[in-house]
Amino acid sequence: METRPVVTCFLRSEGEVLLLRRSDAVGSYRGQWSGVAGHVADDAGRDRDPETAARAEVDEETGLADAVTLVRQGDSFQVADTDHGVRWQVHPFLFDCEARTVETNEESTETAWVHPPEILTRETVPRLWTSWDRIRPRVATVREDRTHGSAWLSLRALEVLRDEAALADAGRSDDLETAERDGDDWEALAALAAEIREARPSMVVIANRLDRAMAAVTDESPAAVERAATEALNHAVTADRVAAAVAAEHVGDRIATLSRSGTVRAVAAAAAPEAVLVAESRPGGEGVGVAETLAESTAVTLTTDAAFGHELDAWSADTLVVGADRILPDGCVVNKVGTRSAALSAAAADVDCYAVCATDKIAPRAAWDREERDAQEVYAGAADIAVSNPTFDITPASAVTVVTERGVLETDEIGGIADAHRDRSEWTERR
């Protein structure tokens, strides 16, 4: 039996993936749902590497090649097709996609953005779920990722819970990350949710969003957990988007920012400022990547962290916009180190300062653990020198205005939301 390498690509947007229904123009699996798929060899029969083939198929079948970012290539697997006399060597890919308008070619008759558990119930090409299983988020994704921000990781956390609950409900124990856990389905899923919460304890938004899902579960069944996780995911996506839109109505034409925040990027995209000032954000240099991205659509000035406070005034910024790792119940903002000095400099220069985030980043409690980076990033010499290299700092509530999907929040409103988050966290007592 001949072996033919093929790619299956999932485009993910807002927690959903794109499925395409295959037309009569394709040679196999007509009328069935698939991801973006195609042969690794090109139309002339020339070999390509799988990633090159994947990107080409995304372009040909969706027109979204410029909107996608590769997240992961999964391990390949084989599918024997006796009807067609071929063994498919499937190479799965996952891309994050910034757009959702699809331009199909003749190979598809219909498209749908769906939550991946729908793969388990639709008529799909053989082993489509296996392709998703090879690249879907896991607990390790949340625990080990050092590239993305906490809002992005919170969506991945909910995806893990959603998919595991769907598998439990479908009786697919062979695919479950919870397969080796003791107890019934509810206990296994509750244990999983608790494990994800603790994977990144400094990221309060992950815990808050998982708590939102688990607190909504009433009948303690896998189906109920899947529904609650999906609803919490939809809520999170909407909250992040609306928070950015609300903030965009407040900012001016000359925006300054630091570090990396997907929400701040969305604010800049919606506000379309005439110019942006970006601090480089040492030692990780997150601001450099932000500057490169924003430079595609506006004039950007990149400056050093040490000069940022001065440049806010000299550059004539009218708005400082930052993200937030967390908002404390008293309205203080925990964010990438340098935020405090930037906010105080903005106040001295009469520049408005906004911290933009969803309300799920409001911490239920005031406790906050100081996080230190590697001391050798600052000093690697032999002298007896104490080194302080914090990851985050705290900006006083008086120096920053918090903007969320609910609008500008006063301190008492922030405290009330913190109380609601604390109440939802009590689901753990049902375990």
Side-chain angles (χ1 to χ4, degrees), residues 52-70:
T52 298
R55 292 183 180 278
E57 294 298 330
V58 169
D59 188 30
E60 293 169 9
E61 297 187 17
T62 71
L64 292 170
D66 292 336
V68 300
T69 302
L70 178 63

Side-chain angles (χ1 to χ4, degrees), residues 391-421:
T391 303
F392 304 106
D393 61 23
I394 300 180
T395 300
S398 59
V400 62
T401 299
V402 175
V403 183
T404 72
E405 75 276 15
R406 301 188 189 183
V408 173
L409 296 183
E410 302 296 334
T411 302
D412 59 340
E413 295 176 291
I414 292 172
I417 293 169
D419 291 342
H421 288 325

Side-chain angles (χ1 to χ4, degrees), residues 83-95:
D83 291 339
H84 293 85
V86 66
R87 182 182 293 107
W88 307 112
Q89 185 77 32
V90 183
H91 296 267
F93 287 84
L94 174 63
F95 294 89

Side-chain angles (χ1 to χ4, degrees), residues 95-317:
F95 294 89
D96 273 343
C97 189
E98 295 183 349
R100 292 170 67 95
T101 301
V102 182
E103 297 178 2
T104 60
N105 61 12
E106 71 281 356
E107 296 180 6
S108 303
T109 61
E110 190 177 352
T111 66
W113 289 96
V114 303
H115 286 277
E118 279 205 32
I119 294 170
L120 298 170
T121 59
R122 290 189 180 226
E123 183 182 3
T124 69
V125 299
R127 296 184 65 183
L128 184 60
W129 179 266
T130 303
S131 290
W132 173 248
D133 191 58
R134 295 293 173 102
I135 49 83
R136 69 184 176 96
R138 308 280 181 159
V139 177
T141 306
V142 179
R143 181 185 301 116
E144 298 170 7
D145 185 286
R146 293 298 182 271
T147 302
H148 299 92
S150 59
W152 188 93
L153 284 170
S154 72
L155 302 185
R156 308 295 79 84
L158 290 167
E159 288 173 2
V160 175
L161 183 62
R162 175 201 63 194
D163 291 354
E164 293 288 311
L167 286 169
D169 187 51
R172 297 281 292 269
S173 60
D174 55 323
D175 290 333
L176 273 169
E177 188 167 2
T178 58
E180 297 181 1
R181 302 176 191 275
D182 296 329
D184 59 19
D185 288 335
W186 163 253
E187 288 296 330
L189 291 169
L192 175 67
E195 181 180 351
I196 304 170
R197 286 175 92 254
E198 296 306 315
R200 299 295 289 274
S202 67
M203 294 183 173
V204 69
V205 66
I206 294 176
N208 281 344
R209 286 178 168 171
L210 285 166
D211 290 344
R212 180 183 298 277
M214 296 301 287
V217 176
T218 55
D219 63 4
E220 298 186 356
S221 68
V225 174
E226 181 195 347
R227 287 193 300 272
T230 300
E231 290 170 2
L233 183 54
N234 292 337
H235 179 276
V237 167
T238 301
D240 290 341
R241 182 172 59 241
V242 173
V246 171
E249 297 177 356
H250 289 77
V251 303
D253 291 326
R254 297 179 66 81
I255 294 176
T257 191
L258 55 82
S259 190
R260 176 182 56 232
S261 165
T263 305
V264 171
R265 279 185 56 193
V267 172
E274 66 180 31
V276 180
L277 174 70
V278 184
E280 60 182 333
S281 304
R282 292 188 180 186
E286 303 95 339
V288 176
V290 172
E292 291 174 336
T293 299
L294 294 177
E296 298 173 3
S297 58
T298 190
V300 174
T301 299
L302 182 65
T303 190
T304 63
D305 292 355
F308 191 56
H310 170 74
E311 289 298 306
L312 281 169
D313 192 5
W315 186 79
S316 299

Side-chain angles (χ1 to χ4, degrees), residues 303-380:
T303 190
T304 63
D305 292 355
F308 191 56
H310 170 74
E311 289 298 306
L312 281 169
D313 192 5
W315 186 79
S316 299
D318 52 41
T319 316
L320 172 64
V321 186
V322 298
D325 182 75
R326 66 175 61 198
I327 309 295
L328 300 182
D330 63 359
C332 292
V333 175
V334 179
N335 197 46
K336 173 70 185 287
V337 65
T339 302
R340 179 189 180 101
S341 58
L344 295 177
S345 296
D350 198 25
V351 173
D352 293 331
C353 177
Y354 296 106
V356 186
C357 64
T359 53
D360 285 337
K361 284 197 173 183
I362 295 174
R365 297 170 180 83
W368 173 67
D369 294 330
R370 177 186 172 94
E371 182 178 308
E372 287 277 341
R373 295 179 62 96
D374 186 355
Q376 292 195 357
E377 293 177 340
V378 176
Y379 181 70

